[in-house]
Structure formats: C-alpha cells, structure tokens
Amino acid sequence: MKFFIDSANLEQIRSIQELGLLDGVTTNPSLMAKEGINNVDEHYQAICKITEGDVSAEVLSTSYEEMVQEGRHLAKLATNIVVKVPMTFDGLKAIRTLKQEGIRTNCTLVFTPIQALLAAKAGATYVSPFIGRLDDISSEGIKLIRQIKKIFRNYQLPTYILAASIRHTLHVVQVALAGADYVTIPYPTFISLVKHPLTDIGLEKFLKDANKI
Ligand code: G3P
C-alpha cells in the first residue's frame, strides 16, 4: 500500500519525505486555506519539488467547462500533478475529457460504491472514498472501501482506491486489510503510526539496563 500525506504544509511534507515514507501528496481547498497560501500555483510547484510522487491539486470551479480549463492549467504546473475533481455530473464529464487529453484525475468526495464505479467508468486514475466523514455520521466508513474493492476486482477496473479522510491509526490498519491501493494520511496520524507506549517503555528499560553493562 502506498502512503500519501494529506497536507499542504511544506514542512510536514518534507518531514515525511525525509523519513522515506512519502509516495505522494493530496491537498484540498481547506488544507490550502489553512496554510494561508497567496500564490496557489507556486505552492503546488513547491510541493511537486519535494516529491516525485503524485500530487493532487483540486479544481475550484463547478461547471464542466471551467473544471476542464482549470484541470488543463493545473496539469501544466508539474508532471506529477493529478487533477482532483469532485463527484458531480459536471465532474464526471470533466474526468472523461481530461482522461481523453492524457490528464490524470482523482475523483474526490466519494461516499458510495456506485459513485466510485461511475468515477472508474469515467476514467479517473484515483477514486477518493472519505471514510472518516462517514464514521462521523455513524455510517461504517471502512465498509465503503471493502465494497469498492470488490466491485473494482469484479470488473478489473484499473482505477486506484485512495482511502481518504483518515482520522487515526486504526483507519490505516483497516484500509490496508481491505486492500486500498493508497491511503492519504494527515501528518499527526502519520507520526502516531510509529508510536506505541510499550515501545517507549521497553526502550527506556533497555537504555537503563545498558548503563549496568
Ligand atoms: O483530502 C481529503 C480528505 O482526506 C479530507 O479529510 O479529515 O477533512 O474529512 P477530512
């Protein structure tokens, strides 16, 4: 399973890259706003310089024509940009057109298996099911990943499942068990993957005992 970081923060992205665990980056308008970015294009280019992996850059328009125009523009910023397009009627049309032009896409805000199937049929490179937001409304987020996996296997669809809206370590374990191809992880969760209290206690004891040698 490949690891993306779900962040627009350059330091966070760099830190996971230096750890050797970074396969790419996903951003969204909320993450970009959080960083107070003035020049969005330059910021995407800065992210693309840190990683050779795919970097999702989301369109901000909602009509088919504008999404396609925006997608073409974003794709020109760097060779590893993937255009993130929302799951809407216009979004599906835009995904198909961008695919015909050789531009890769990530269909975002996917909450049902049928939305994922539609995105795959439209030619999306990635589909992003949001599991944390389903959990938030007392629906079982992980079930969505399992269903999409089954459907994509049934029809040998080449679209990658990119598990998104990850909130904690258990989500990462669950999506790995369910066979997600990619997972996009927020920085604090990335850090918590390494941690276990028994590891810390065990290390402390080993170091203490090492003094007795
Ligand atoms: O980048 C999309 C997704 O990962 C957002 O997560 O935590 O805002 O539901 P969240």
Side-chain angles (χ1 to χ4, degrees):
M1 186 170 61
K2 297 207 170 170
F3 282 179
F4 285 177
I5 186 170
D6 201 21
S7 173
N9 180 293
L10 298 181
E11 271 177 41
Q12 293 180 353
I13 297 167
R14 216 170 274 123
S15 137
I16 303 301
Q17 165 69 12
E18 283 165 7
L19 205 57
L21 288 175
L22 192 70
D23 295 308
V25 179
T26 54
T27 64
N28 62 41
S30 309
L31 293 170
M32 293 292 277
K34 201 168 144 193
E35 296 308 312
I37 311 299
N38 291 322
N39 189 323
V40 172
D41 289 359
E42 278 179 14
H43 197 74
Y44 283 135
Q45 285 172 326
I47 295 174
C48 289
K49 275 188 192 143
I50 300 174
T51 177
E52 285 178 2
D54 286 347
V55 174
S56 287
E58 189 156 343
V59 296
L60 304 176
S61 40
T62 52
S63 73
Y64 162 73
E65 289 82 8
E66 286 173 315
M67 278 195 258
V68 170
Q69 266 180 25
E70 221 185 315
R72 285 177 187 140
H73 170 77
L74 290 168
K76 278 190 197 133
L77 294 175
T79 51
N80 51 338
I81 287 275
V82 171
V83 179
K84 209 171 180 189
V85 180
M87 164 48 67
T88 60
F89 281 99
D90 285 55
L92 284 171
K93 272 175 74 179
I95 287 168
R96 184 169 300 281
T97 301
L98 292 169
K99 158 95 177 168
Q100 283 161 355
E101 295 180 14
I103 295 172
R104 294 174 309 138
T105 55
N106 172 2
C107 183
T108 189
L109 290 164
V110 166
F111 292 94
T112 69
I114 207 70
Q115 286 181 324
L117 179 57
L118 295 178
K121 283 175 71 69
T125 313
Y126 298 90
V127 65
S128 288
F130 277 30
I131 71 167
R133 292 193 195 183
L134 280 172
D135 287 355
D136 290 345
I137 57 158
S138 305
S139 194
E140 208 186 342
I142 189 60
K143 200 170 147 197
L144 175 61
I145 304 286
R146 292 191 196 114
Q147 289 175 326
I148 298 172
K149 184 75 187 177
K150 176 99 172 66
I151 292 168
F152 283 13
R153 266 210 188 122
N154 286 350
Y155 299 102
Q156 284 108 46
L157 294 168
T159 301
Y160 296 121
I161 301 171
L162 200 181
S165 187
I166 297 295
R167 300 280 161 77
H168 44 68
T169 304
L170 183 59
H171 272 157
V172 181
V173 176
Q174 288 177 321
V175 301
L177 288 170
D181 304 291
Y182 292 77
V183 60
T184 187
I185 311 170
Y187 183 76
T189 308
F190 234 121
I191 298 307
S192 72
L193 296 183
V194 183
K195 302 267 181 200
H196 193 283
L198 290 180
T199 306
D200 297 340
I201 293 167
L203 181 61
E204 201 184 320
K205 181 160 177 4
F206 284 153
L207 293 177
K208 214 169 167 185
D209 291 344
N211 285 329
K212 300 174 195 159
I213 298 169

